[in-house]
Amino acid sequence: MNSAIAHTDSSWKGRLELIYRAREGQTQVYCAHAKAPLKVQRPFYPEGPQICHSVILHTAGGIVGGDRLSQSFHLEANTHALVTTAAAAKVYRSNGREARQTINIQVDAGACLEWLPQESIIFNGAVYRQDLRVELAPGSRMLLWEINRFGRSARGEKFLQGQWRSHAEVWQEGRPLWIDRQMLEGGTAMVDGPHGLGGRAIAGTLAWIGEPVSRDRVEQIRRLWDGVPQMGTGEIGVTRLPQGVLCRYCGSSTPQVRNWFAQVWDSLRLSFLGRPSSVPRVWPLSSG
């Protein structure tokens, strides 16, 4: 019986490990180990040698129940990497088992990571958990975002069954800088209720962590929303963190949330890194 179960188990146990190292003024991918279905494209340098752009691919086309995916990024001292994904992630209806992804990140002193995956589409009936743990050294910085669409809303699908969980932790020398726990149970109460998505399909989070953000900068980020085309009933929130800023979005338009997040990203980059944002070439044109 056990051998038959093992034989019919088509779930993936994928791994990806990336280590970035500074060498002669360039951020290089010093180590890249991948196990299917995860792969990484060759490095890109659209902004010059200091910033390495990496694009992750999921070659199986989607995540199914039983999948276990693990990603590890280590930025050694004084490196700068922008890591994104080649396409939107799809988490399919569960076969009764949980799909899980674990991401571990270490950012050493003087380094900066921009972790900007494209949208995740959580199909009705999916059971999915993602755990993100980051260790930031003093003097390091990180910008991350997560955009989730619950149900294939273009087909009229809602997230009426299943479960989604997201656990994020950012630590520095044993001290928590940001801990975030989110869970959404499929059903009309959560999808349509005022204490859930309120009839909207998309929830997004953007966080800049590692350096204080002034109250004036927080207000400027809030005002950026006024210049975003209003599509549907999108709402935002901006919260000042002890070592950064946290932005939330709830709405129904992927271009809308990407537009706002991109403007926030550009504003923070100019303020703290002294350079404008550089949109990865794999992103849709509507992301700007």
Side-chain angles (χ1 to χ4, degrees):
M1 177 66 70
N2 290 339
S3 62
I5 293 174
H7 180 72
T8 58
D9 184 3
S10 59
S11 60
W12 290 97
K13 307 296 185 289
R15 295 195 306 272
L16 176 65
E17 178 185 7
L18 298 176
I19 300 176
Y20 297 87
R21 177 168 294 178
R23 182 174 296 172
E24 297 179 352
Q26 183 181 44
T27 296
Q28 299 181 355
V29 178
Y30 172 74
C31 173
H33 289 163
K35 179 182 177 182
L38 298 176
K39 290 182 63 178
V40 62
Q41 293 183 356
R42 63 178 180 82
F44 302 104
Y45 293 91
E47 303 180 77
Q50 294 87 4
I51 303 178
C52 179
H53 286 219
S54 295
V55 178
I56 296 172
L57 297 88
H58 186 283
T59 59
I63 299 171
V64 301
D67 282 1
R68 294 292 184 269
L69 304 178
S70 173
Q71 299 185 55
S72 173
F73 310 138
H74 180 189
L75 276 69
E76 295 186 356
N78 303 314
T79 57
H80 187 162
L82 187 158
V83 184
T84 188
T85 53
K90 297 177 181 178
V91 184
Y92 294 120
R93 182 181 184 90
S94 174
N95 54 7
R97 303 164 66 190
E98 179 187 70
R100 188 165 184 174
Q101 178 163 237
T102 303
I103 302 171
N104 289 291
I105 297 172
Q106 179 178 338
V107 187
D108 293 347
C112 179
L113 172 64
E114 297 167 277
W115 169 230
L116 310 175
Q118 296 199 56
E119 177 188 28
S120 293
I121 304 171
I122 316 298
F123 284 39
N124 181 41
V127 179
Y128 179 64
R129 172 171 174 167
Q130 177 174 288
D131 293 275
L132 170 70
R133 183 181 174 93
V134 181
E135 182 66 34
L136 284 183
S140 65
R141 296 169 288 186
M142 179 176 183
L143 187 140
L144 62 92
W145 73 36
E146 177 181 78
I147 300 170
N148 293 290
R149 176 180 292 273
F150 295 97
R152 293 169 291 176
S153 47
R155 299 187 178 186
E157 179 182 279
K158 293 186 176 182
F159 193 68
L160 299 177
Q161 295 177 310
Q163 184 187 80
W164 168 85
R165 287 188 289 172
S166 176
H167 293 181
E169 300 184 3
V170 181
W171 294 78
Q172 188 175 80
E173 296 187 316
R175 178 171 60 97
L177 298 183
W178 179 53
I179 295 180
D180 193 53
R181 299 280 190 270
Q182 297 185 68
M183 184 176 74
L184 192 150
E185 293 276 2
T188 56
M190 185 61 71
V191 171
D192 295 324
H195 301 294
L197 294 174
R200 291 158 290 195
I202 300 174
T205 296
L206 180 151
W208 163 263
I209 304 175
E211 194 165 347
V213 176
S214 69
R215 288 185 174 88
D216 289 343
R217 178 64 57 189
V218 170
E219 289 302 318
Q220 182 188 57
I221 290 172
R222 290 194 180 109
R223 289 195 298 270
L224 289 172
W225 175 249
D226 297 334
V228 174
Q230 298 303 302
M231 307 172 185
T233 56
E235 296 181 343
I236 61 127
V238 183
T239 304
R240 192 175 177 218
L241 301 175
Q243 292 291 323
V245 65
L246 175 66
C247 301
R248 303 281 199 189
Y249 169 91
C250 185
S252 301
S253 169
T254 299
Q256 184 181 52
V257 62
R258 290 177 71 102
N259 190 309
W260 185 52
F261 277 8
Q263 290 190 44
V264 174
W265 171 41
D266 187 68
S267 175
L268 291 169
R269 244 187 175 232
L270 285 170
S271 297
F272 294 102
L273 305 179
R275 63 171 70 220
S277 57
S278 176
V279 175
R281 65 185 189 181
V282 296
W283 286 5
L285 294 177
S286 61
S287 66

